[in-house]
């Protein structure tokens, strides 16, 4: 089976890359490091990404056969939130640990009837829409800027170590 293990860290304009497949997933699936899914062509594919890696719409990943695959963020049912006090709204959402897409002048969350009530009580203007969902990545305290966009190099929550992929024989070159 085709495996996808890495996200290309280069901008697609840097090279003329031939994209030979599309992987269309909702956000929930794009934040998983292990996933069995299918390309749009119907071909089965297994994601084996570093923990903490989030795939964004437009990202390019490399497959085990050398192909470059484009990630497509599937449209999802979202609540588009506008408010004169967006900071207050963001605070209440953050308090509930809800993934939030933060943009200039609006927020978006996955559709949620309970939160809808809360937001209306806060005086927010809500619109239901279907769009790709790209929430903010979490940042941990004490993060160093050179780490990846998750803020912790994907290491902090890695408690179950999977040693199946490599052996522990280290070769030192003199």
């Amino acid at each position: 089976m085709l495996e996808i293990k890495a996200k290309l860290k280069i901008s697609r304009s840097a090279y003329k890359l031939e994209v030979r497949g599309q992987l269309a997933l909702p956000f929930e699936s794009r934040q998983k490091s292990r996933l069995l899914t299918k390309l749009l062509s119907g071909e089965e594919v297994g994601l084996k990404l570093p923990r903490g890696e989030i795939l964004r719409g437009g990202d390019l990943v490399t497959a085990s056969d050398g192909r470059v695959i484009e990630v497509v963020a599937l449209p999802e049912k979202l609540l588009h939130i506008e408010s004169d006090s967006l900071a207050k709204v963001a605070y209440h959402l953050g308090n509930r640990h809800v993934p939030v897409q933060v943009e200039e002048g609006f927020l978006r969350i996955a559709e949620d009837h309970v939160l809808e009530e809360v937001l209306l009580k806060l005086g927010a203007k809500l619109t239901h829409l279907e769009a790709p969902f790209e929430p903010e990545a979490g940042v941990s305290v004490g993060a160093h800027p050179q780490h990846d966009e998750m803020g912790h190099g994907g290491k902090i929550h890695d408690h179950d170590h999977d040693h199946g992929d490599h052996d522990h024989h280290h070769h030192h070159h003199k």
Side-chain angles (χ1 to χ4, degrees):
M1 185 178 51
L2 198 63
E3 286 190 352
I4 291 176
K5 291 187 174 180
K7 183 158 89 171
L8 285 179
K9 302 291 190 199
I10 53 164
S11 115
R12 63 172 57 210
S13 56
Y15 296 91
K16 186 75 190 98
L17 292 169
E18 191 187 344
V19 173
R20 296 182 43 217
Q22 287 188 312
L23 181 63
L25 298 169
F27 177 70
E28 175 63 32
S29 299
R30 286 183 284 118
Q31 59 180 334
K32 294 190 160 117
S33 53
R34 300 285 182 276
L35 180 72
L36 280 179
T37 183
K38 288 184 167 79
L39 298 178
L40 282 183
S41 62
E43 189 176 357
E44 290 207 336
V45 61
L47 287 187
K48 288 193 175 176
L49 295 166
R51 281 180 211 286
E53 184 100 83
I54 293 181
L55 295 176
R56 300 288 185 183
D59 279 352
L60 298 175
V61 292
T62 51
S64 48
D65 64 358
R67 267 185 290 173
V68 174
I69 311 279
E70 180 182 24
V71 176
V72 177
L74 279 181
E76 304 181 48
K77 287 185 184 333
L78 303 178
L79 272 181
H80 180 90
I81 306 159
E82 293 170 278
S83 170
D84 293 335
S85 49
L86 267 183
K88 183 189 271 190
V89 171
Y91 170 81
H92 283 279
L93 292 172
N95 230 0
R96 291 172 168 80
H97 301 286
V98 179
V100 180
Q101 182 171 339
V102 179
E103 303 291 348
E104 199 60 48
F106 66 87
L107 304 171
R108 285 183 180 168
I109 62 169
E111 225 172 52
D112 180 311
H113 300 299
V114 175
L115 285 175
E116 203 170 328
E117 297 293 313
V118 172
L119 294 165
L120 289 171
K121 283 192 182 113
L122 289 170
K125 175 177 174 284
L126 306 179
T127 316
H128 290 263
L129 55 83
E130 285 206 18
F133 188 36
E134 297 287 6
E136 290 289 300
V139 176
S140 63
V141 180
H144 301 292
Q146 70 266 27
H147 280 100
D148 65 272
E149 66 193 335
M150 285 295 289
H152 52 63
K155 295 288 183 284
I156 283 183
H157 305 291
D158 189 5
H159 297 297
D160 52 280
H161 301 286
D162 174 14
H163 296 297
D165 298 323
H166 60 282
D167 61 36
H168 284 279
H169 304 294
H170 300 286
H171 303 287
H172 298 283
H173 300 287
K174 292 189 167 53

